Amino acid sequence: MKKTADNIRIIGKSDGPTSVFIAGKDKKKTLRQKIEKSMYDFRRKRVIKFLRADSHSVDEVADYVVRELGYTEVSSSDETYQTEYSNMRASFLLQYRPELLGDLTEPQRPQQWDEKSVMEFMKQIEQRTEAARAVPKTEFDIDFHLYRKTGREFQMSISIEKTYESFSGSASGSTRVMRRYGADFRKVYRYYGVSQEDIRQRTKRFEEVVRQLTVR
């Protein structure tokens, strides 16, 4: 059955390694969603109210992750490192240097979202991603670092890209582990912080720090 753009939403950006498609008409927000939105807005206002200028460089943040949070830097020869580095380099190239892909233009979203059109769109996205991976490091590279904390039944990782000052990560384990990881990740952004200028100008750094400190 054919579906139009009116009842399909796209999660994520088409310039990243993957995109997710969700079919079905959007419904009105449930009571729970409304409550969660209200709680988020309340936390955001509190974060902004108590946020003070105290910023640190990305190198200082990397040192903090090891010294204060107990993570260990992963070798660049590690398989997980290689996979995450490759994915992030391709994603950042698509975002910051798309001109390096030459005539390979960004895929245009189909007029009608039938199965054939969606598959073709996804194919074009994958082609761009593979082309990005093929761009020599001498033309585009990133300063990627991966930090890991492990235990008998858990693993947590924090990724830091120093050139574009990007932080990401993942965790596996119990619900308690996930809460611990969430706390660690917020500590990274709290330490990264903002300057007085960031606060005054509501910069991209300000918005990202506020968002990460608000999310639960």
Side-chain angles (χ1 to χ4, degrees):
M1 181 175 66
K2 292 184 179 181
K3 296 182 181 294
T4 65
D6 292 335
N7 59 7
I8 289 187
R9 290 179 288 124
I10 300 178
I11 309 300
K13 296 181 179 179
S14 61
D15 58 1
T18 60
S19 295
V20 178
F21 299 85
I22 298 179
K25 293 183 179 179
D26 286 333
K27 297 180 179 179
K28 292 183 179 180
K29 289 183 178 179
T30 64
L31 177 60
R32 179 176 178 178
Q33 289 173 327
K34 291 178 179 178
I35 293 173
E36 289 175 345
K37 176 65 164 56
S38 297
M39 292 175 64
Y40 178 88
D41 291 342
F42 174 75
R43 290 196 302 268
R44 176 180 167 84
K45 289 178 181 178
R46 282 184 60 84
V47 168
I48 293 174
K49 179 179 179 179
F50 293 105
L51 190 62
R52 297 292 179 266
D54 184 22
S55 62
H56 295 87
S57 71
V58 68
D59 285 325
E60 289 176 320
V61 174
D63 179 65
Y64 173 81
V65 166
V66 174
R67 174 174 43 85
E68 297 295 333
L69 300 184
Y71 288 72
T72 301
E73 184 163 9
V74 176
S75 169
S76 60
S77 62
D78 183 272
E79 184 177 353
T80 301
Y81 174 96
Q82 290 291 334
T83 299
E84 293 195 19
Y85 161 79
S86 177
N87 289 339
M88 183 172 285
R89 190 177 84 92
S91 179
F92 276 31
L93 186 147
L94 290 167
Q95 182 176 355
Y96 296 107
R97 297 292 304 280
E99 69 275 8
L100 294 178
L101 299 181
D103 296 332
L104 193 58
T105 59
E106 182 173 354
Q108 298 298 310
R109 297 183 180 185
Q111 294 297 314
Q112 286 200 336
W113 293 88
D114 53 48
E115 182 179 356
K116 182 179 178 180
S117 298
V118 169
M119 294 302 294
E120 178 59 30
F121 184 60
M122 293 294 289
K123 181 180 177 180
Q124 292 178 35
I125 291 173
E126 185 59 30
Q127 287 176 340
R128 290 187 87 239
T129 302
E130 289 303 316
R133 290 194 178 103
V135 171
K137 295 179 184 178
T138 53
E139 294 188 42
F140 180 84
D141 204 2
I142 59 175
D143 189 2
F144 178 74
H145 298 261
L146 177 63
Y147 303 86
R148 183 184 293 156
K149 183 192 293 186
T150 59
R152 189 168 62 181
E153 298 181 350
F154 74 89
Q155 178 172 294
M156 299 185 286
S157 66
I158 292 175
S159 304
I160 298 178
E161 200 293 313
K162 295 186 176 182
T163 302
Y164 297 94
E165 300 195 10
S166 172
F167 308 101
S168 57
S170 62
S172 62
S174 65
T175 302
R176 182 179 179 183
V177 169
M178 295 305 175
R179 286 198 295 265
R180 285 173 54 194
Y181 176 72
D184 278 358
F185 203 65
R186 286 191 293 274
K187 287 177 182 177
V188 168
Y189 271 91
R190 188 174 290 110
Y191 185 77
Y192 181 50
V194 294
S195 67
Q196 192 62 51
E197 185 67 14
D198 290 318
I199 296 173
R200 183 164 51 251
Q201 298 293 331
R202 296 295 179 97
T203 62
K204 181 179 178 181
R205 176 167 177 163
F206 171 88
E207 291 296 341
E208 182 64 10
V209 168
V210 168
R211 185 176 72 84
Q212 293 295 341
L213 295 183
T214 302
V215 171
R216 289 292 185 274

